[in-house]
Structures are given as structure tokens and as C-alpha cells.
Amino acid sequence: MPTYRDRAGGFTYSQVALDRSQATHRLVVGEWSEGGHRPRIARWPLNPRTGLLARGTSSVPIVYPGPRSVQGAVSVRGRYYLNAGHGVSGNGELRSWRPAGTTWELPPGPEDLSYDARGDVLWTLGEYAPRDDGDNPGTYYTRYVYALKR
């Protein structure tokens, strides 16, 4: 199994996605950052024959100027879609960015993203499991997998 080393240093991988919306597919990786620096996103072209990173390619990470709590990122035809979480009690956000973008409100804890070109939809999920503490059964039913029209 191939592995890749971060030659730029200091990139904390948190999520991965495939961008298959262009002729040359790309691997999209991003980092989660609670405080300090803004999260970064990087894309690398894939070799169409092997599906591995194309030889001799590199990517300069893009600094995302939005919220620091990005949990999932995918790119579709040059536009980025990012899920940002705000804890179990705060709604999440799906943001689109190129660098000016749109924001959708999501249930708490949005995580990874994937794009399905057949329906032009983004797939995501919530990270928080249903809460059943006896006193408030079923208070948080946010561990859903759901699609959003792009």
C-alpha cells in the first residue's frame, strides 16, 4: 500500500475526499484546527491509470479563511464545499467557497463530504450519536447520512 510523506511539514490531516468532477481526478485533504492557524486544504492530481498521486506533482495548501472547525472538505469543478462543526449543541454549517461562497445551516456535528455527479448532490453525515440518558430519550438524533442538492 503506497504512503505519502508531508514534505511541507506541519500539515495535520483530518479528512480526505476524491474530486472526480474534472478530467483529472484529484485527492483533496484538509486539516481541522480548533484555534491558532486557519485550516488548510490541499489537492493533488491522480494518475488516471493507477489512481495514485501523479508522479512529480505537488500541492501548495490553500488557507481557508472561514471557521476553524472544518470537519470535511471536497472540491467540485474548482469550488470547495466544507463542513464546519460547532459542538453537539450548536448547528453545523456547509460552506461553499471559491473564495467567495455560500453557507447552509446543518444539524450539529457535520463531518466528511463526498460529491455524486449523477444527482449533483453532496453527501455528508453528523458525528453525534442519539442521546438516550433515560430522562431525555432520543434528544439528539443527529447521526444521519444525508444528501444536499449542490
Side-chain angles (χ1 to χ4, degrees), residues 74-116:
V74 69
S75 67
V76 179
R77 291 189 281 284
R79 177 176 293 278
Y80 290 90
Y81 293 87
L82 304 105
N83 269 346
H86 302 294
V88 69
S89 60
N91 286 337
E93 299 171 330
L94 171 63
R95 292 180 169 243
S96 94
W97 177 62
R98 188 197 321 230
T102 306
T103 302
W104 293 266
E105 186 174 321
L106 300 175
E111 288 272 327
D112 290 343
L113 283 164
S114 184
Y115 174 69
D116 185 348

Side-chain angles (χ1 to χ4, degrees), residues 7 18 26 33-34 45-46 51 53 62 70 92 98 141 150:
R7 296 191 188 276
L18 278 175
R26 290 175 169 74
S33 174
E34 188 172 33
L46 299 176
L53 293 185
I62 300 166
V70 172
R98 188 197 321 230
Y141 281 98
R150 190 175 72 87

